[in-house]
Amino acid sequence: MKETMNTFIHRLLKSSTASSIKSSKDIAHLGAVTNNLLDEIQNAKLIYFGEFHSETRIISFQTELVKEWSKRLGSACAAGVATKPRLHLIMEHFSVNMQDLLNKYQCLGSVDDYGGSLPISDNQEAFDQLVASYKAIGTEGHDLLPYSDLLQFCRETTTKQSDGDSCCEVLLHGGFIPRNHAARLNKECPDEATKRLFFDEMSNDRGYLPKKGDAMCNALFETASDTTLRGPKEHKMLIQSLMSGTDLYSPVDASNDDAEAEDADDEEKPFDRLYQAQLLKDHAMGYKVANFMLDQPSSDRFLVIAGFGHLKHYLGVPDCVNHYLRQTAMLDSDEKRRAKAMDLLMDISRFPTTAKSRNADGKGSALIGCQMLYEAYLEDNYPPLVAQISKASELDGDADTDEIKQRMIKHIYVRDPATLDEYILKSDEVRGPFLNYDQGIGGFEHPCADYLFVYDEDDEHILTETDLAEASNSDQAKCPYHTEAANDDAKRETLEAYQQVGQTAGFKGNAKRARAIMSILGYTENDLAYLGDGDIYNFQGVANPHSVAKIQLGESVIDIGSGLGIDSFLAMRDCGADQNGANANSFVVGVDLAPSEVQHATKRAAARGYGIERLRFIHGDVEKLQDVLSKHDVPPENSFDVCISNGAFCLVPDKKKAFQNVFNALRPGGRCAISTTTIVSDHLDPSFEWPVCMRMFASLESLEPMLEEIGFKNVQILDAESPMEGMELPEDDVVDDNADGIKRFKIHGKYVDQFAFLEKMDMDELCKVVTVYGEKP
C-alpha cells in the first residue's frame, strides 16, 4: 500500500523559526507540506535530503517533493526561462557503478545500449527489471520497492509519460562508492602500505576519489603525506554518538570542554577504522556531487538523497562537497572551472531565495532531515495524556494505554497542531540537534537540518476519513461541533435554557449567596453595594472581567453575553455613563442571545435610572456581531474601547469567529477582557457523553495562538482564580416558590442522572476559568 501524507501524523519544522511551516488548516490537504516548503526553497541549486532508508512515510514526502519541484521547474521554463532546467537525483541507494543500469531504466541512450532491442515501455515491467538487475549486482542491498512511485515518476519524465510538458526531466544517478570497498578499508588495510595501495586503486583505477595532482585531492587527506581521510572532529564525534548514544547536545561546563573532548578522542581510537570507512563513503559522494555540478549546465538543480547520518549538521557529504569545490576554485588549472567552482560555492553557501524571486540557475542550498515522532515525550509530559493514562491505570491495571495514546495524539494533531509542535520541540531528541546544536560537547556550527520532517512511524496510527473530515473543519478552533447543523443545535439548547432564566429573573433570589460568590470572584464591597439587593442575585458570571479590563472614565464598553445586566451596570459606573458619573463620551452596549434576558436587563436599567442613550441591551449573536450592531444603529466597526464578557464565550460554538468579531468592534488601542471556562485537556474523553455546555468549552492551550492569529497583541491568558468546586457558600435563605407556583430557573444545580459521573470528578482538574486579555494594535 502506498503511503500518502494525509494518512499519517506528520509535521515539518523549520530550525530558523523553531516552528512548523504548516498551518492547521492544511492538515487535510495532501500537498500542503510540500507546497509550503517549496515556496521557500524551490529556487535552490542544491537540496540535501537525509532519510531513514525505505521508510514509507519519508518516501511519500520525498516523492511529493520531487514531483512538485519538477512541476515548478517545468513551469518556470514555460514562463520564459531561457534554458530548460533538469533535476538530478543523486542517491545513496545506487553505487556509481550502477549508472548504466539507471540510464537503461530511464531509456537514456541508443538502441544498442539495450542490446539491440527497444527499451521496455511499461513502467511497472521496467521497474521490476531494475529491481532484478539491482539484486543481481548485490553490492548495495537497499529495498527499492518503497521507492517505486518515486523511481517510476523519474522514468516518466525522461520517457515523456509525465504530465505533458509541465515537468522537467528528473535524472537518476548513483552516488556512493560500492559498499564492499568501505568494508575493505575497514578490514583489509591494517597499515600505511596497504592503505596507499587501496587509495591508489580507488583514485587512479576506479575514479571514485580524486587523483593525486588534481586540485580536489587537497581536500581528500588530513595531510599530503598520510592516508587518513580528512574529517572534522565534530563529525567524528557525531558518528560515534550515533553508534553509542552519547549525548552531544546537553549544555556542558565550558571549563570541562577540552577534558571531555580528550576523553572522547581516547575512546574513539578503536573506532578510528570504522570512522574512516564512513568517511570513504562521504568523500566518494562529495567528490561525485562536486564534479557532477561542475559538469552540468548552470540551470540544472540537484537533490542528494542519503542516510541522515551522512548529512547531519552539514557534515559528511555536504562538508566534502564544499571542500572539493573550494580546492577547485583555488587551485584548478582550468580558469573556467575555477570560476564555476567559485560560483557554485557561493551559491550553495547561502539559503535559497524565495519563490517570489525566480532564479533560472538556482541559488542556495537547504538540508532536510527526518525524525520519528517520539510519543514517549508526550506520554511523560503532556498533562491531558498523562492524566488519562494515569486514570485508566488506576481503574484497570491492564488498561490498553496504547489505545488512549493513539486517540489523543491523533486528536491533538487534528485539532491543535500548534501544541503538538510545541511538545515535539521540547523533546530532547529534537531540541538538542535542531535548536541547541551549538551548546553541547559537539559544538556544531549548523543545526542538524534546516527543516525537520517529523513523522509517526506507528502503523496503527493511520488517519481515517473521519479524522480528515474533522481536520478540514478545524477552523472552529477546537470547539467540539464541526458542522453548521450541530452548532445550530447547541446554540438552540443554550438559547432555550437562558430564555427560561430571563423569564423567571424577576422573582427574588438569594442575595446572600450571590454576594458570597461574587466576593470569592474578586468583586469589591463597593461593587456589591452599587448593585444592591435588587439586582445582585441575578449575577450569572464565572469570574470578574472588571479586574482585568480596568474600565476608565470616558470609555465605551461592549458586554458580550450581558445576561441580566449585572456586569453592564458596573461598567456604566466605571466609564462614567451612569447618573452619578456622567461623561459625554461614555456608553455601554450589552448583547445577549436570549431575548427574555435582554428584556429583563432593559427593564432593570430603566428602574436604575440609566438612559437608553447611555446603556442599551440588544438581542443578538456574537458570531454575527457586526450585523447585530448595524441593525441597532451602533457603528459596526472600531466603536468600542473595551469589550468585557463573563461566561458567554463558554457557550459560543465558533470561538474564532466570535473573537474576530470582538477584534473588529474594538477601536485601535482597544482591549478585551473575556472571562470563560476552558478544558485543561485539548479535548474531552469521547467515551463519556458530556453536557452540551462542557462540550462547547475551548481548550486552555488554544486561546493564545487563536487571538494572536486574529491580530491581538499582548495576549494574556490569566488565571481567574475561580474554583469550579469547593466554594463555601451559605445555604439558600429564599423560598423560590411564588404565588403562582413558578420557581426561578437555574442553569446549574444537581446533575441529572445522565451526567451523574461528573459528581465523581474533580472539576478543577478537568476545567479552568481564565480571563482572556488582548489589545487591538
Side-chain angles (χ1 to χ4, degrees):
M1 180 181 118
K2 291 181 181 178
E3 295 283 357
T4 56
M5 289 179 64
N6 60 348
T7 61
F8 62 91
I9 294 171
H10 61 276
R11 306 301 293 156
L12 185 62
L13 306 175
K14 185 176 180 179
S15 63
S16 61
T17 58
S19 64
S20 173
I21 69 165
K22 181 188 177 194
S23 64
S24 59
K25 67 182 179 180
D26 293 325
I27 289 175
H29 179 193
L30 177 62
V33 167
T34 308
N35 283 324
N36 289 345
L37 174 63
L38 280 171
D39 284 345
E40 299 191 12
I41 65 172
Q42 76 174 37
N43 291 319
K45 168 66 81 174
L46 170 64
I47 293 177
Y48 296 105
F49 195 119
E51 66 167 20
F52 301 136
H53 300 312
S54 301
E55 170 54 63
T56 56
R57 286 148 169 83
I58 296 174
I59 298 167
S60 69
F61 177 33
Q62 244 172 33
T63 304
E64 281 190 18
L65 180 66
V66 170
K67 288 181 177 180
E68 183 61 27
W69 200 11
S70 173
K71 289 179 182 178
R72 293 196 183 196
L73 291 174
S75 65
C77 176
V81 173
T83 305
K84 187 170 185 176
R86 298 176 300 175
L87 176 58
H88 300 273
L89 262 63
I90 305 169
M91 301 180 68
E92 171 188 342
H93 313 71
F94 302 96
S95 74
V96 294
N97 287 1
M98 294 177 171
Q99 194 57 51
D100 287 343
L101 182 68
L102 293 173
N103 289 345
K104 181 177 180 180
Y105 171 68
Q106 291 198 274
C107 301
L108 301 173
S110 64
V111 173
D112 290 340
D113 294 329
Y114 305 101
S117 61
L118 292 174
I120 297 170
S121 59
D122 181 77
N123 277 337
Q124 185 59 51
E125 185 181 350
F127 177 76
D128 292 341
Q129 187 178 89
L130 171 68
V131 172
S133 301
Y134 181 82
K135 290 180 177 178
I137 295 174
T139 59
E140 306 313 301
H142 292 278
D143 180 7
L144 297 185
L145 186 59
Y147 299 89
S148 61
D149 190 26
L150 172 63
L151 296 175
Q152 289 189 53
F153 172 77
C154 296
R155 185 177 193 270
E156 290 169 4
T157 66
T158 58
T159 57
K160 309 305 179 186
Q161 299 177 49
S162 59
D163 185 14
D165 294 326
S166 62
C167 297
C168 75
E169 285 189 335
V170 185
L171 305 178
L172 294 167
H173 305 277
F176 257 22
I177 189 172
R179 183 175 295 184
N180 56 303
H181 294 305
R184 285 178 57 200
L185 177 61
N186 179 36
K187 298 178 180 179
E188 301 175 12
C189 302
D191 51 38
E192 283 296 310
T194 53
K195 287 180 182 178
R196 289 187 185 282
L197 289 173
F198 175 82
F199 283 117
D200 283 345
E201 177 189 343
M202 296 300 104
S203 298
N204 299 323
D205 298 341
R206 299 184 181 271
Y208 300 144
L209 298 172
K211 298 178 181 179
K212 190 172 183 179
D214 288 352
M216 288 188 182
C217 193
N218 291 283
L220 182 58
F221 297 114
E222 291 285 358
T223 68
S225 59
D226 70 8
T227 56
T228 302
L229 291 170
R230 185 202 60 79
K233 180 184 71 174
E234 294 79 11
H235 185 234
K236 188 173 184 180
M237 295 174 69
L238 173 65
I239 298 303
Q240 187 178 34
S241 74
L242 293 175
M243 295 184 175
S244 66
T246 304
D247 181 9
L248 298 181
Y249 304 104
S250 295
V252 294
D253 184 348
S255 63
N256 293 328
D257 283 356
D258 292 340
E260 291 192 34
E262 289 175 5
D263 290 343
D265 285 342
D266 290 340
E267 294 171 3
E268 287 174 358
K269 287 181 180 178
F271 165 77
D272 283 348
R273 204 173 284 174
L274 283 172
Y275 176 59
Q276 285 291 300
Q278 167 83 10
L279 272 180
L280 177 64
K281 294 184 283 187
D282 292 340
H283 273 278
M285 180 174 254
Y287 177 63
K288 162 79 176 184
V289 172
N291 267 305
F292 193 62
M293 293 176 72
L294 285 165
D295 292 339
Q296 300 305 311
S298 60
S299 59
D300 286 7
R301 314 298 178 85
F302 306 88
L303 174 62
V304 175
I305 299 177
F308 196 15
H310 292 286
L311 308 173
K312 213 169 187 180
H313 297 291
Y314 279 93
L315 297 169
V317 173
D319 176 70
C320 291
V321 170
N322 286 351
H323 275 78
Y324 285 131
L325 288 176
R326 186 175 296 114
Q327 294 302 318
T328 302
M330 292 189 299
L331 302 173
D332 199 278
S333 58
D334 186 328
E335 182 179 354
K336 290 184 179 180
R337 193 171 174 85
R338 288 200 308 272
K340 188 167 184 179
M342 180 59 72
D343 289 341
L344 285 170
L345 193 61
M346 294 295 292
D347 286 345
I348 67 173
S349 298
R350 68 182 76 174
F351 201 73
T353 56
T354 66
K356 295 179 181 179
S357 174
R358 179 176 292 130
N359 189 293
D361 297 337
K363 302 289 183 184
S365 66
L367 170 57
I368 303 168
C370 297
Q371 179 73 48
M372 289 183 289
L373 175 64
Y374 277 81
E375 296 168 351
Y377 186 81
L378 289 173
E379 188 173 333
D380 293 339
N381 293 275
Y382 182 49
L385 182 54
V386 173
Q388 287 285 340
I389 291 176
S390 175
K391 185 181 295 184
S393 299
E394 288 176 5
L395 295 174
D396 180 3
D398 298 325
D400 185 4
T401 58
D402 286 341
E403 190 277 332
I404 296 173
K405 182 172 65 175
Q406 174 184 339
R407 184 180 70 245
M408 291 196 71
I409 290 174
K410 185 183 292 186
H411 193 90
I412 192 175
Y413 170 73
V414 169
R415 300 288 292 280
D416 192 7
T419 296
L420 181 59
D421 291 345
E422 176 187 345
Y423 277 88
I424 291 173
L425 287 165
K426 285 180 180 177
S427 68
D428 292 337
E429 292 84 357
V430 172
R431 173 165 289 277
F434 196 57
L435 303 178
N436 298 338
Y437 55 89
D438 59 347
Q439 298 177 18
I441 300 171
F444 300 106
E445 183 178 352
H446 302 281
C448 66
D450 299 309
Y451 299 93
L452 197 60
F453 178 67
V454 182
Y455 65 97
D456 182 0
E457 73 283 7
D458 193 332
D459 290 334
E460 300 298 320
H461 290 191
I462 297 298
L463 297 171
T464 65
E465 291 298 325
T466 301
D467 298 322
L468 297 177
E470 182 178 358
S472 67
N473 289 284
S474 62
D475 281 345
Q476 294 188 37
K478 298 190 297 182
C479 288
Y481 297 95
H482 305 298
T483 68
E484 186 173 346
N487 283 344
D488 289 343
D489 289 344
K491 196 174 295 184
R492 184 161 48 251
E493 184 174 336
T494 300
L495 174 59
E496 290 173 356
Y498 282 93
Q499 269 291 90
Q500 295 183 64
V501 171
Q503 290 166 357
T504 62
F507 301 145
K508 186 177 180 182
N510 189 341
K512 185 177 180 181
R513 189 177 181 87
R515 284 178 179 275
I517 292 173
M518 294 182 72
S519 295
I520 291 172
L521 298 179
Y523 287 86
T524 67
E525 286 299 323
N526 287 337
D527 295 336
L528 305 180
Y530 181 80
L531 293 170
D533 289 345
D535 285 297
I536 196 169
Y537 53 74
N538 279 326
F539 175 74
Q540 295 173 287
V542 297
N544 180 6
H546 299 275
S547 62
V548 175
K550 301 186 184 306
I551 299 168
Q552 304 297 309
L553 287 176
E555 290 189 318
S556 54
V557 183
I558 184 169
D559 181 5
I560 301 297
S562 49
L564 300 173
I566 301 302
D567 285 302
S568 292
F569 298 158
L570 292 175
M572 282 284 289
R573 178 201 62 186
D574 293 340
C575 75
D578 69 348
Q579 289 179 337
N580 299 326
N583 187 293
N585 298 317
S586 58
F587 65 95
V588 177
V589 174
V591 181
D592 199 88
L593 187 64
S596 65
E597 292 204 314
V598 171
Q599 292 170 6
H600 179 83
T602 301
K603 180 180 178 181
R604 288 303 305 154
R608 295 178 69 95
Y610 302 145
I612 192 172
E613 73 283 356
R614 311 302 290 279
L615 171 62
R616 298 181 64 186
F617 291 101
I618 60 179
H619 167 239
D621 183 348
V622 67
E623 293 181 11
K624 303 174 182 178
L625 183 60
Q626 273 61 53
D627 292 339
V628 171
L629 296 177
S630 295
K631 179 180 178 181
H632 291 85
D633 298 324
V634 177
E637 294 183 352
N638 302 326
S639 304
F640 297 95
D641 298 299
V642 187
C643 172
I644 60 171
S645 182
N646 199 350
F649 272 68
C650 302
L651 303 175
V652 174
D654 193 334
K655 302 287 192 290
K656 186 172 183 180
K657 182 182 289 185
F659 277 111
Q660 180 67 64
N661 287 342
V662 167
F663 183 86
N664 293 341
L666 290 172
R667 291 189 178 115
R671 62 197 183 278
C672 68
I674 294 172
S675 297
T676 185
T677 306
T678 67
I679 52 171
V680 175
S681 171
D682 69 327
H683 76 298
L684 293 167
D685 187 339
S687 62
F688 294 103
E689 183 178 356
W690 300 90
V692 64
C693 61
M694 293 184 66
R695 299 202 308 270
M696 303 289 279
F697 293 168
S699 79
L700 181 62
E701 295 295 328
S702 70
L703 293 173
E704 184 173 353
M706 186 198 312
L707 266 72
E708 289 178 342
E709 182 178 349
I710 288 169
F712 282 101
K713 302 299 181 185
N714 191 25
V715 176
Q716 301 175 53
I717 310 301
L718 304 169
D719 187 344
E721 299 183 359
S722 174
M724 302 290 293
E725 294 186 356
M727 284 189 184
E728 295 184 6
L729 300 173
E731 295 295 326
D732 285 346
D733 60 0
V734 173
V735 177
D736 289 333
D737 288 336
N738 293 274
D740 55 4
I742 300 176
K743 295 182 178 182
R744 281 176 58 86
F745 184 83
K746 298 179 180 179
I747 293 291
H748 303 290
K750 180 177 174 59
Y751 298 114
V752 297
D753 291 342
Q754 181 184 8
F755 306 124
F757 67 90
L758 291 172
E759 295 179 1
K760 301 177 182 179
M761 293 186 170
D762 186 338
M763 297 303 290
D764 285 321
E765 290 186 359
L766 187 63
C767 300
K768 188 179 186 67
V769 181
V770 298
T771 298
V772 181
Y773 178 84
E775 299 170 355
K776 181 173 180 177

